[in-house]
């Protein structure tokens, strides 16, 4: 992951969520918390964590709404514009989205994004939920 990954994620989030200021503020806060949580992941994953924290809620943007399930809509957009699969997967599964996807009958669509139960996904969940 390049050093510019976090800056690109922040810029994209600002662009996409500009019309949803409360969600942008939340994403900024999650990214800030993720910076502190980089100590809980492997050093090579630190940028990935912070970038995913910035991007995790872009699916709330009205212009990205497809399925109506923001983790899936955000991941689909990121994949379509060429973001790394690891980022797309983290966004798709942030805060244990697979459980909500099952209830909404979207688990098959979400399965296009592999889930990993690891320190990285746990750190993103903690950043999002605190």
């Amino acid at each position: 992951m390049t050093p510019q990954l976090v800056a690109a994620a922040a810029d994209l989030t600002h662009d996409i969520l500009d019309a949803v200021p409360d969600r942008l503020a939340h994403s900024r806060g999650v990214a800030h918390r993720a910076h502190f949580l980089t100590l809980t992941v492997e050093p090579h994953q630190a940028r990935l964590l912070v970038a995913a924290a910035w991007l995790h809620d872009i699916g709330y943007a009205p212009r990205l709404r497809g399925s109506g399930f923001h983790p899936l809509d955000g991941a689909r957009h990121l994949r379509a514009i060429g973001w790394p699969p690891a980022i797309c997967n983290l966004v798709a599964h942030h805060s244990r989205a697979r459980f909500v996807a099952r209830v909404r009958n979207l688990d098959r669509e979400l399965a296009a994004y592999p889930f990993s139960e690891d320190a990285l996904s746990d750190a993103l969940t903690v950043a999002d939920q605190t």
Side-chain angles (χ1 to χ4, degrees):
M1 305 287 153
T2 66
Q4 298 83 13
L5 185 71
V6 173
D11 288 347
L12 182 61
T13 301
H14 278 90
D15 179 55
I16 290 174
L17 292 179
D18 186 53
V20 192
D22 59 328
R23 193 54 48 186
L24 177 58
H26 167 73
S27 295
R28 185 179 300 112
V30 173
H32 181 73
R33 283 186 294 281
H35 276 288
F36 290 105
L37 292 168
T38 59
L39 296 173
T40 68
V41 300
E42 295 294 324
H44 69 277
Q45 295 177 319
R47 289 186 186 106
L48 184 61
L49 172 60
V50 178
W54 269 110
L55 295 164
H56 80 286
D57 273 355
I58 63 168
Y60 277 113
R63 68 181 172 156
L64 300 187
R65 185 162 287 163
S67 70
F69 185 46
H70 80 276
L72 183 58
D73 293 339
R76 284 177 172 166
H77 178 72
L78 292 170
R79 179 183 277 174
I81 63 172
W83 278 76
I87 295 274
C88 300
N89 298 343
L90 282 165
V91 168
H93 288 281
H94 76 272
S95 298
R96 305 302 189 246
R98 68 188 185 281
F99 300 113
V100 177
R102 182 170 297 143
V103 171
R104 293 185 177 193
N105 293 318
L106 293 169
D107 47 333
R108 290 178 61 188
E109 289 87 343
L110 196 65
Y113 303 89
F115 172 70
S116 295
E117 179 105 29
D118 56 18
L120 188 56
S121 66
D122 288 347
L124 182 57
T125 296
V126 170
D128 186 25
Q129 299 298 316
T130 56

